[in-house]
Amino acid sequence: QVQLVESGGGLVQPGGSLRLSCAPSGRTLNSYDMGWFRQAPGKEREFVAAHSRSGGRTYYADSVKGRFTISRDNAKNTVYLQMSSLEPEDTAVYYCVADRLIRIPVATTPGSYDYWGQGTQVTVSS
């Protein structure tokens, strides 16, 4: 079983920035397509961003395009979600996800991902 550990969440003011990190255990990062989902209270879990295991393909939800950047550092075996220009609507629990199947394009639905982290809280508030 692959364990995904997220970190970097916290409280930030509107317009601020945060960087989330995800470190999988037991396997190398390039064995998986990686992504981020988020879920706000009373809301359905939604896709945020994804990064393919090869080719450097990235995908973003329309709501975060231009503000969020997903990246991976293979040397550190870590996936990142850089979040800028944060808005109150970005408040949610953010989940790191991993998909062991090769999909073209990468998946944007929760059921396609095999492994999920415990989540890290991001709160955007004045």
Side-chain angles (χ1 to χ4, degrees):
Q1 196 80 19
V2 175
Q3 292 182 314
L4 304 176
V5 181
E6 305 101 331
S7 62
L11 175 65
V12 64
Q13 294 186 357
S17 299
L18 284 174
R19 189 180 73 166
L20 306 183
S21 300
C22 175
S25 63
R27 299 292 182 90
T28 61
L29 197 63
N30 280 336
S31 295
Y32 307 94
D33 292 342
M34 303 296 297
W36 293 89
F37 283 77
R38 67 185 183 186
Q39 187 167 27
K43 300 289 187 178
E44 191 173 79
R45 189 167 296 181
E46 66 173 330
F47 171 77
V48 176
H51 194 297
S52 65
R53 71 195 71 184
S54 63
R57 302 186 303 276
T58 58
Y59 306 88
Y60 298 94
D62 288 341
S63 59
V64 305
K65 284 182 179 178
R67 300 188 299 118
F68 290 13
T69 301
I70 186 171
S71 62
R72 63 170 73 205
D73 187 332
N74 291 331
K76 296 181 179 180
N77 206 39
T78 302
V79 170
Y80 303 97
L81 183 67
Q82 177 66 48
M83 305 183 294
S84 300
S85 300
L86 284 163
E87 304 167 353
E89 292 75 18
D90 296 315
T91 296
V93 176
Y94 284 71
Y95 297 91
C96 178
V97 297
D99 180 11
R100 63 184 174 87
L101 296 181
I102 298 175
R103 305 177 194 270
I104 301 175
V106 295
T108 59
T109 58
S112 296
Y113 286 89
D114 300 288
Y115 305 104
W116 290 70
Q118 292 297 112
T120 184
Q121 177 70 47
V122 173
T123 302
V124 185
S125 176
S126 298

